[in-house]
Amino acid sequence: MNTTTTTTAAAAPAQADAIPKAAFDWIPLALVPLLALLALPAIGSPSSWLTLTVAGLAMGMIVFIIASGLTLVFGLMDVLNFGHGVFIAFGAFVATSVFGAMIGWSDADSLLQNLAVLFCAMLAAMSVTAAIGWAFERVMVRPVYGQHLKQILVTMGGMIIGEELIKVVWGPQQVPLPLPTTLRGSLLWGDAVVEKYRLVAVVIGAVVLLAMLFTLNRTKLGLLIRAGVQDREMVESLGYRIRRLFVGVFVAGSALAGLGGVLWGLYQQNVIPQIGAQVNTLIFIVIIIGGLGSTFGCFVGALLVGLLANYVGFLAPKAAMFSNIGLMVAILLWRPQGLYPVANR
Amino acid sequence: MISRLLSHDLPRNRWLAAILVVIVLGLALTPFLFPSTKALNVGAKILVFIVLVASFDLLLGYTGIVSFAHTMFFGIGAYGVAIASTRLGPGWGALALGVGVALVVALVLSLVIGLFSLRVKAIFFAMITLAVASAFLSLASQLSEFTGGEDGLNFKVPEALQPGTQYLEEPFFGASIDGRFLSYYLLFVATVVLVLVMLRIVNSPFGRVLQAIRENDFRAEAIGYRVVVYRTLSNVLSALFATLAGCLLAIWLRYNGPDTSLSFEIMLDILLIVVIGGMGTVYGAVVGSVLFVIAQNYLQDLLKLGASAVEGVPVASQLVSPDRWLLWLGLLFVLSVYHFPTGVVGRLRALRSKGRRS
């Protein structure tokens, strides 16, 4: 059906839309509801299915927030930052400090004050990780553009240093990150138990997603970023300074990772310095599934990973860790370039 | 004779040669020179790491592939020996069976991973191996009936290698001649043989093809070499040597668990050693392992001295606290990737060629 519309558009070159709009590929997106529907009979009771689905969506949203910056950086500059996880850890630890400093507000029984603490923590985490990301790009990544091997090694080294610095500042032990009072506990929808915080995470994730989609698809900045991902040299030869754009994307990606770190830390309710290395694996799987460099693919991949992890965790807890790997292998067998492959790669 | 043993890949620098001689002599005479238990453990750990890191160097240094699944094969070797020895009881047969099964498993697994994912770009392969390795780590801690879960497995080695077995009543030149002594020399001989074999491999025509692929895979393909086949072979070989290193570790420790052989920290250690020692030189693995393991075990003592000097200064005392030694190593690692990409060995070798030109 889609092919017929494109051919008719191409057959009428004199009209305004001489360039046919690329047909949107619905199949990968359809996998998400399909997966949810398939899980329903397997789980049996609709109420626990709803609980798991909301949990999976929340996890997917958080993972998407973390991974989106990484996939953009890879698409734009062909740099894969193996140290991306460290921004997550920094974000989460900054959040523990903010929550510690504002303990009165976070323990208060008022939704407004609780949300204010959460907002402050997110703001602080994003500013700190943005600054660290700027320094990281400047010191670590800049000298090794175009050299994949060295990029992997150097960013790995950056992660070691970052992790150790976290231990210097916050100590090597696990730090608790309790939820604010009113966000604890869960809501009852019929028989389904939905944790309040997961709903909050879904909402924050949706806001970030919409903001990103708006920036990428409706602004000139987004146009340049997308064009740079597709063909960097062409954009440069048109006179735009891709490098400056890249630094901006890197900083924004780090800030997003910091935000994701806050959400992830609250999701797990405690933070350890090794959190970066743990999450790294997950976000790599997500961006491979999505097709390296594709934001929307990253989103779909994150939702699939989140949902599957929760369903499998319920049905067969021992297999939970392999569900991600299995998903990745299956998708790479189906589409070797990922769900939404980026052209020119 | 020496030249043939070293496959005509001589150290090519007087200082490097001297360092290597000191290392080999030091490791060969450790039980006599440093008769403490800690020194013997450090020596054994160095030996195991030399094999492990040299096998990783086959991949990273010679073929230019970054894999994060190397500890997986290390773990397979260690678990092979551990599981066989717990199930069948201590004995040489169990040991041989464990090593054999581990090698077969590593062969199949590395072949599958290689054929499946070595066609893609370096970054892709690194990510895929990272994912596979973390899945394997959780597999090992989940299958607790088999692997002992998080607690790991304590087992016994053949009687000849047990520490209780005394061969001589009196200490011989300061070393007690017991099962521990024999295990150490088993490790030493195995390491020497394996390193010489790896030197042979990298200096064979096959090794030259690997280097050609590292330098320019497109050109290597154009000359007519099947790059994927060579990359996969390199992956398999390196996995097999890592498996053997794992077997050695298990024999020495008589224990294996997820943290001892599979953890991500060991993978980082391997990376650090390869880069600091020198990529693409098997000697780099030797020099790097000695530096690293000694630093790991004794640098903390040094930092303790530094920490007591700045005691009371808030941030500085945290920075030089003995637990933060990895911070300094990480800095050294990043600096050496930028400024000494060829590592200690490459630097020493470059010194000599400069001296010649002038």
PDB file of all heavy atoms in Angstrom, chain B residues 89-119:
ATOM      1  N   GLY B  89      35.903 -36.069  41.515  1.00  0.00           N
ATOM      2  CA  GLY B  89      36.903 -36.218  42.567  1.00  0.00           C
ATOM      3  C   GLY B  89      38.268 -35.857  42.017  1.00  0.00           C
ATOM      4  O   GLY B  89      38.475 -35.827  40.805  1.00  0.00           O
ATOM      5  N   PRO B  90      39.221 -35.559  42.929  1.00  0.00           N
ATOM      6  CA  PRO B  90      40.535 -35.127  42.460  1.00  0.00           C
ATOM      7  C   PRO B  90      41.252 -36.243  41.720  1.00  0.00           C
ATOM      8  O   PRO B  90      41.140 -37.411  42.093  1.00  0.00           O
ATOM      9  CB  PRO B  90      41.256 -34.759  43.759  1.00  0.00           C
ATOM     10  CG  PRO B  90      40.548 -35.510  44.821  1.00  0.00           C
ATOM     11  CD  PRO B  90      39.129 -35.620  44.382  1.00  0.00           C
ATOM     12  N   GLY B  91      41.982 -35.895  40.688  1.00  0.00           N
ATOM     13  CA  GLY B  91      42.723 -36.904  39.933  1.00  0.00           C
ATOM     14  C   GLY B  91      43.156 -36.326  38.604  1.00  0.00           C
ATOM     15  O   GLY B  91      42.599 -35.330  38.139  1.00  0.00           O
ATOM     16  N   TRP B  92      44.159 -36.937  38.035  1.00  0.00           N
ATOM     17  CA  TRP B  92      44.668 -36.420  36.764  1.00  0.00           C
ATOM     18  C   TRP B  92      43.650 -36.610  35.657  1.00  0.00           C
ATOM     19  O   TRP B  92      43.551 -35.794  34.747  1.00  0.00           O
ATOM     20  CB  TRP B  92      45.976 -37.115  36.390  1.00  0.00           C
ATOM     21  CG  TRP B  92      47.086 -36.781  37.328  1.00  0.00           C
ATOM     22  CD1 TRP B  92      47.592 -37.588  38.310  1.00  0.00           C
ATOM     23  CD2 TRP B  92      47.800 -35.555  37.398  1.00  0.00           C
ATOM     24  NE1 TRP B  92      48.588 -36.930  38.987  1.00  0.00           N
ATOM     25  CE2 TRP B  92      48.736 -35.683  38.448  1.00  0.00           C
ATOM     26  CE3 TRP B  92      47.746 -34.364  36.686  1.00  0.00           C
ATOM     27  CZ2 TRP B  92      49.607 -34.672  38.797  1.00  0.00           C
ATOM     28  CZ3 TRP B  92      48.615 -33.353  37.029  1.00  0.00           C
ATOM     29  CH2 TRP B  92      49.536 -33.503  38.085  1.00  0.00           C
ATOM     30  N   GLY B  93      42.876 -37.701  35.748  1.00  0.00           N
ATOM     31  CA  GLY B  93      41.866 -37.950  34.718  1.00  0.00           C
ATOM     32  C   GLY B  93      40.832 -36.846  34.691  1.00  0.00           C
ATOM     33  O   GLY B  93      40.488 -36.316  33.626  1.00  0.00           O
ATOM     34  N   ALA B  94      40.361 -36.455  35.893  1.00  0.00           N
ATOM     35  CA  ALA B  94      39.367 -35.381  35.975  1.00  0.00           C
ATOM     36  C   ALA B  94      39.939 -34.097  35.414  1.00  0.00           C
ATOM     37  O   ALA B  94      39.263 -33.353  34.692  1.00  0.00           O
ATOM     38  CB  ALA B  94      38.940 -35.181  37.427  1.00  0.00           C
ATOM     39  N   LEU B  95      41.203 -33.848  35.749  1.00  0.00           N
ATOM     40  CA  LEU B  95      41.859 -32.630  35.273  1.00  0.00           C
ATOM     41  C   LEU B  95      41.889 -32.612  33.752  1.00  0.00           C
ATOM     42  O   LEU B  95      41.498 -31.623  33.110  1.00  0.00           O
ATOM     43  CB  LEU B  95      43.277 -32.597  35.833  1.00  0.00           C
ATOM     44  CG  LEU B  95      43.854 -31.239  36.180  1.00  0.00           C
ATOM     45  CD1 LEU B  95      42.979 -30.561  37.200  1.00  0.00           C
ATOM     46  CD2 LEU B  95      45.258 -31.406  36.711  1.00  0.00           C
ATOM     47  N   ALA B  96      42.326 -33.746  33.172  1.00  0.00           N
ATOM     48  CA  ALA B  96      42.447 -33.820  31.710  1.00  0.00           C
ATOM     49  C   ALA B  96      41.073 -33.661  31.073  1.00  0.00           C
ATOM     50  O   ALA B  96      40.913 -32.933  30.077  1.00  0.00           O
ATOM     51  CB  ALA B  96      43.079 -35.140  31.304  1.00  0.00           C
ATOM     52  N   LEU B  97      40.075 -34.332  31.646  1.00  0.00           N
ATOM     53  CA  LEU B  97      38.727 -34.242  31.085  1.00  0.00           C
ATOM     54  C   LEU B  97      38.222 -32.804  31.147  1.00  0.00           C
ATOM     55  O   LEU B  97      37.680 -32.275  30.169  1.00  0.00           O
ATOM     56  CB  LEU B  97      37.786 -35.169  31.864  1.00  0.00           C
ATOM     57  CG  LEU B  97      36.364 -35.231  31.290  1.00  0.00           C
ATOM     58  CD1 LEU B  97      36.368 -36.008  29.987  1.00  0.00           C
ATOM     59  CD2 LEU B  97      35.402 -35.853  32.281  1.00  0.00           C
ATOM     60  N   GLY B  98      38.442 -32.153  32.301  1.00  0.00           N
ATOM     61  CA  GLY B  98      37.986 -30.774  32.454  1.00  0.00           C
ATOM     62  C   GLY B  98      38.621 -29.865  31.413  1.00  0.00           C
ATOM     63  O   GLY B  98      37.937 -29.079  30.759  1.00  0.00           O
ATOM     64  N   VAL B  99      39.925 -29.999  31.255  1.00  0.00           N
ATOM     65  CA  VAL B  99      40.619 -29.150  30.278  1.00  0.00           C
ATOM     66  C   VAL B  99      40.096 -29.441  28.874  1.00  0.00           C
ATOM     67  O   VAL B  99      39.792 -28.522  28.100  1.00  0.00           O
ATOM     68  CB  VAL B  99      42.149 -29.390  30.348  1.00  0.00           C
ATOM     69  CG1 VAL B  99      42.850 -28.630  29.240  1.00  0.00           C
ATOM     70  CG2 VAL B  99      42.684 -28.964  31.695  1.00  0.00           C
ATOM     71  N   GLY B 100      39.944 -30.749  28.564  1.00  0.00           N
ATOM     72  CA  GLY B 100      39.498 -31.110  27.216  1.00  0.00           C
ATOM     73  C   GLY B 100      38.118 -30.573  26.915  1.00  0.00           C
ATOM     74  O   GLY B 100      37.896 -29.942  25.870  1.00  0.00           O
ATOM     75  N   VAL B 101      37.168 -30.788  27.838  1.00  0.00           N
ATOM     76  CA  VAL B 101      35.804 -30.315  27.599  1.00  0.00           C
ATOM     77  C   VAL B 101      35.779 -28.797  27.480  1.00  0.00           C
ATOM     78  O   VAL B 101      35.122 -28.227  26.604  1.00  0.00           O
ATOM     79  CB  VAL B 101      34.866 -30.801  28.736  1.00  0.00           C
ATOM     80  CG1 VAL B 101      33.503 -30.145  28.603  1.00  0.00           C
ATOM     81  CG2 VAL B 101      34.728 -32.306  28.687  1.00  0.00           C
ATOM     82  N   ALA B 102      36.552 -28.130  28.353  1.00  0.00           N
ATOM     83  CA  ALA B 102      36.582 -26.662  28.305  1.00  0.00           C
ATOM     84  C   ALA B 102      37.087 -26.198  26.944  1.00  0.00           C
ATOM     85  O   ALA B 102      36.537 -25.257  26.350  1.00  0.00           O
ATOM     86  CB  ALA B 102      37.464 -26.121  29.420  1.00  0.00           C
ATOM     87  N   LEU B 103      38.116 -26.858  26.434  1.00  0.00           N
ATOM     88  CA  LEU B 103      38.662 -26.449  25.135  1.00  0.00           C
ATOM     89  C   LEU B 103      37.617 -26.622  24.038  1.00  0.00           C
ATOM     90  O   LEU B 103      37.467 -25.759  23.166  1.00  0.00           O
ATOM     91  CB  LEU B 103      39.922 -27.264  24.806  1.00  0.00           C
ATOM     92  CG  LEU B 103      41.184 -26.823  25.540  1.00  0.00           C
ATOM     93  CD1 LEU B 103      42.328 -27.756  25.228  1.00  0.00           C
ATOM     94  CD2 LEU B 103      41.560 -25.408  25.138  1.00  0.00           C
ATOM     95  N   VAL B 104      36.888 -27.747  24.089  1.00  0.00           N
ATOM     96  CA  VAL B 104      35.882 -27.981  23.049  1.00  0.00           C
ATOM     97  C   VAL B 104      34.780 -26.921  23.124  1.00  0.00           C
ATOM     98  O   VAL B 104      34.380 -26.335  22.105  1.00  0.00           O
ATOM     99  CB  VAL B 104      35.288 -29.402  23.189  1.00  0.00           C
ATOM    100  CG1 VAL B 104      34.116 -29.577  22.241  1.00  0.00           C
ATOM    101  CG2 VAL B 104      36.346 -30.433  22.898  1.00  0.00           C
ATOM    102  N   VAL B 105      34.315 -26.651  24.354  1.00  0.00           N
ATOM    103  CA  VAL B 105      33.257 -25.649  24.501  1.00  0.00           C
ATOM    104  C   VAL B 105      33.737 -24.295  23.982  1.00  0.00           C
ATOM    105  O   VAL B 105      33.040 -23.607  23.231  1.00  0.00           O
ATOM    106  CB  VAL B 105      32.832 -25.538  25.990  1.00  0.00           C
ATOM    107  CG1 VAL B 105      31.909 -24.362  26.188  1.00  0.00           C
ATOM    108  CG2 VAL B 105      32.157 -26.813  26.434  1.00  0.00           C
ATOM    109  N   ALA B 106      34.971 -23.918  24.364  1.00  0.00           N
ATOM    110  CA  ALA B 106      35.499 -22.621  23.940  1.00  0.00           C
ATOM    111  C   ALA B 106      35.631 -22.572  22.418  1.00  0.00           C
ATOM    112  O   ALA B 106      35.327 -21.561  21.780  1.00  0.00           O
ATOM    113  CB  ALA B 106      36.859 -22.372  24.588  1.00  0.00           C
ATOM    114  N   LEU B 107      36.064 -23.690  21.836  1.00  0.00           N
ATOM    115  CA  LEU B 107      36.221 -23.748  20.376  1.00  0.00           C
ATOM    116  C   LEU B 107      34.894 -23.477  19.683  1.00  0.00           C
ATOM    117  O   LEU B 107      34.781 -22.611  18.811  1.00  0.00           O
ATOM    118  CB  LEU B 107      36.757 -25.121  19.980  1.00  0.00           C
ATOM    119  CG  LEU B 107      36.927 -25.371  18.486  1.00  0.00           C
ATOM    120  CD1 LEU B 107      38.238 -24.794  18.039  1.00  0.00           C
ATOM    121  CD2 LEU B 107      36.852 -26.848  18.156  1.00  0.00           C
ATOM    122  N   VAL B 108      33.865 -24.212  20.114  1.00  0.00           N
ATOM    123  CA  VAL B 108      32.566 -24.075  19.458  1.00  0.00           C
ATOM    124  C   VAL B 108      32.020 -22.665  19.651  1.00  0.00           C
ATOM    125  O   VAL B 108      31.594 -21.990  18.697  1.00  0.00           O
ATOM    126  CB  VAL B 108      31.575 -25.126  20.027  1.00  0.00           C
ATOM    127  CG1 VAL B 108      30.180 -24.877  19.497  1.00  0.00           C
ATOM    128  CG2 VAL B 108      32.041 -26.521  19.677  1.00  0.00           C
ATOM    129  N   LEU B 109      32.092 -22.185  20.897  1.00  0.00           N
ATOM    130  CA  LEU B 109      31.513 -20.889  21.204  1.00  0.00           C
ATOM    131  C   LEU B 109      32.218 -19.767  20.435  1.00  0.00           C
ATOM    132  O   LEU B 109      31.582 -18.887  19.836  1.00  0.00           O
ATOM    133  CB  LEU B 109      31.626 -20.646  22.715  1.00  0.00           C
ATOM    134  CG  LEU B 109      30.621 -19.693  23.332  1.00  0.00           C
ATOM    135  CD1 LEU B 109      29.227 -20.151  23.007  1.00  0.00           C
ATOM    136  CD2 LEU B 109      30.819 -19.646  24.828  1.00  0.00           C
ATOM    137  N   SER B 110      33.553 -19.816  20.415  1.00  0.00           N
ATOM    138  CA  SER B 110      34.283 -18.741  19.734  1.00  0.00           C
ATOM    139  C   SER B 110      34.054 -18.815  18.230  1.00  0.00           C
ATOM    140  O   SER B 110      33.986 -17.781  17.549  1.00  0.00           O
ATOM    141  CB  SER B 110      35.771 -18.828  20.051  1.00  0.00           C
ATOM    142  OG  SER B 110      36.276 -20.065  19.625  1.00  0.00           O
ATOM    143  N   LEU B 111      33.909 -20.029  17.714  1.00  0.00           N
ATOM    144  CA  LEU B 111      33.641 -20.177  16.276  1.00  0.00           C
ATOM    145  C   LEU B 111      32.287 -19.559  15.930  1.00  0.00           C
ATOM    146  O   LEU B 111      32.149 -18.813  14.956  1.00  0.00           O
ATOM    147  CB  LEU B 111      33.646 -21.666  15.925  1.00  0.00           C
ATOM    148  CG  LEU B 111      33.853 -22.027  14.462  1.00  0.00           C
ATOM    149  CD1 LEU B 111      35.224 -21.575  14.031  1.00  0.00           C
ATOM    150  CD2 LEU B 111      33.696 -23.515  14.257  1.00  0.00           C
ATOM    151  N   VAL B 112      31.285 -19.851  16.771  1.00  0.00           N
ATOM    152  CA  VAL B 112      29.951 -19.329  16.501  1.00  0.00           C
ATOM    153  C   VAL B 112      29.949 -17.799  16.583  1.00  0.00           C
ATOM    154  O   VAL B 112      29.482 -17.109  15.680  1.00  0.00           O
ATOM    155  CB  VAL B 112      28.926 -19.917  17.501  1.00  0.00           C
ATOM    156  CG1 VAL B 112      27.601 -19.199  17.396  1.00  0.00           C
ATOM    157  CG2 VAL B 112      28.747 -21.397  17.250  1.00  0.00           C
ATOM    158  N   ILE B 113      30.542 -17.272  17.672  1.00  0.00           N
ATOM    159  CA  ILE B 113      30.579 -15.813  17.827  1.00  0.00           C
ATOM    160  C   ILE B 113      31.324 -15.188  16.656  1.00  0.00           C
ATOM    161  O   ILE B 113      30.893 -14.200  16.072  1.00  0.00           O
ATOM    162  CB  ILE B 113      31.253 -15.425  19.155  1.00  0.00           C
ATOM    163  CG1 ILE B 113      30.405 -15.874  20.327  1.00  0.00           C
ATOM    164  CG2 ILE B 113      31.460 -13.925  19.232  1.00  0.00           C
ATOM    165  CD1 ILE B 113      31.028 -15.579  21.652  1.00  0.00           C
ATOM    166  N   GLY B 114      32.452 -15.781  16.293  1.00  0.00           N
ATOM    167  CA  GLY B 114      33.263 -15.224  15.217  1.00  0.00           C
ATOM    168  C   GLY B 114      32.521 -15.203  13.905  1.00  0.00           C
ATOM    169  O   GLY B 114      32.419 -14.163  13.245  1.00  0.00           O
ATOM    170  N   LEU B 115      31.970 -16.348  13.525  1.00  0.00           N
ATOM    171  CA  LEU B 115      31.295 -16.408  12.220  1.00  0.00           C
ATOM    172  C   LEU B 115      30.062 -15.516  12.224  1.00  0.00           C
ATOM    173  O   LEU B 115      29.697 -14.940  11.207  1.00  0.00           O
ATOM    174  CB  LEU B 115      30.883 -17.853  11.911  1.00  0.00           C
ATOM    175  CG  LEU B 115      32.043 -18.746  11.525  1.00  0.00           C
ATOM    176  CD1 LEU B 115      31.569 -20.170  11.319  1.00  0.00           C
ATOM    177  CD2 LEU B 115      32.711 -18.236  10.265  1.00  0.00           C
ATOM    178  N   PHE B 116      29.456 -15.395  13.407  1.00  0.00           N
ATOM    179  CA  PHE B 116      28.219 -14.629  13.459  1.00  0.00           C
ATOM    180  C   PHE B 116      28.478 -13.129  13.386  1.00  0.00           C
ATOM    181  O   PHE B 116      27.736 -12.386  12.757  1.00  0.00           O
ATOM    182  CB  PHE B 116      27.477 -14.968  14.750  1.00  0.00           C
ATOM    183  CG  PHE B 116      26.077 -14.450  14.790  1.00  0.00           C
ATOM    184  CD1 PHE B 116      25.123 -15.001  13.970  1.00  0.00           C
ATOM    185  CD2 PHE B 116      25.737 -13.427  15.632  1.00  0.00           C
ATOM    186  CE1 PHE B 116      23.838 -14.529  13.989  1.00  0.00           C
ATOM    187  CE2 PHE B 116      24.445 -12.943  15.662  1.00  0.00           C
ATOM    188  CZ  PHE B 116      23.499 -13.500  14.832  1.00  0.00           C
ATOM    189  N   SER B 117      29.542 -12.675  14.021  1.00  0.00           N
ATOM    190  CA  SER B 117      29.636 -11.224  14.188  1.00  0.00           C
ATOM    191  C   SER B 117      30.947 -10.593  13.745  1.00  0.00           C
ATOM    192  O   SER B 117      31.093  -9.383  13.882  1.00  0.00           O
ATOM    193  CB  SER B 117      29.369 -10.870  15.646  1.00  0.00           C
ATOM    194  OG  SER B 117      30.133 -11.684  16.479  1.00  0.00           O
ATOM    195  N   LEU B 118      31.886 -11.366  13.215  1.00  0.00           N
ATOM    196  CA  LEU B 118      33.148 -10.709  12.841  1.00  0.00           C
ATOM    197  C   LEU B 118      33.078 -10.019  11.492  1.00  0.00           C
ATOM    198  O   LEU B 118      34.040  -9.401  11.053  1.00  0.00           O
ATOM    199  CB  LEU B 118      34.293 -11.714  12.854  1.00  0.00           C
ATOM    200  CG  LEU B 118      34.947 -11.863  14.212  1.00  0.00           C
ATOM    201  CD1 LEU B 118      35.923 -13.009  14.224  1.00  0.00           C
ATOM    202  CD2 LEU B 118      35.648 -10.589  14.614  1.00  0.00           C
ATOM    203  N   ARG B 119      31.943 -10.154  10.789  1.00  0.00           N
ATOM    204  CA  ARG B 119      31.835  -9.458   9.513  1.00  0.00           C
ATOM    205  C   ARG B 119      31.629  -7.975   9.726  1.00  0.00           C
ATOM    206  O   ARG B 119      31.870  -7.184   8.827  1.00  0.00           O
ATOM    207  CB  ARG B 119      30.637  -9.976   8.724  1.00  0.00           C
ATOM    208  CG  ARG B 119      30.730 -11.416   8.412  1.00  0.00           C
ATOM    209  CD  ARG B 119      29.387 -11.994   8.016  1.00  0.00           C
ATOM    210  NE  ARG B 119      29.548 -13.428   7.850  1.00  0.00           N
ATOM    211  CZ  ARG B 119      30.036 -13.979   6.748  1.00  0.00           C
ATOM    212  NH1 ARG B 119      30.360 -13.233   5.724  1.00  0.00           N
ATOM    213  NH2 ARG B 119      30.199 -15.275   6.664  1.00  0.00           N
TER     214      ARG B 119
END
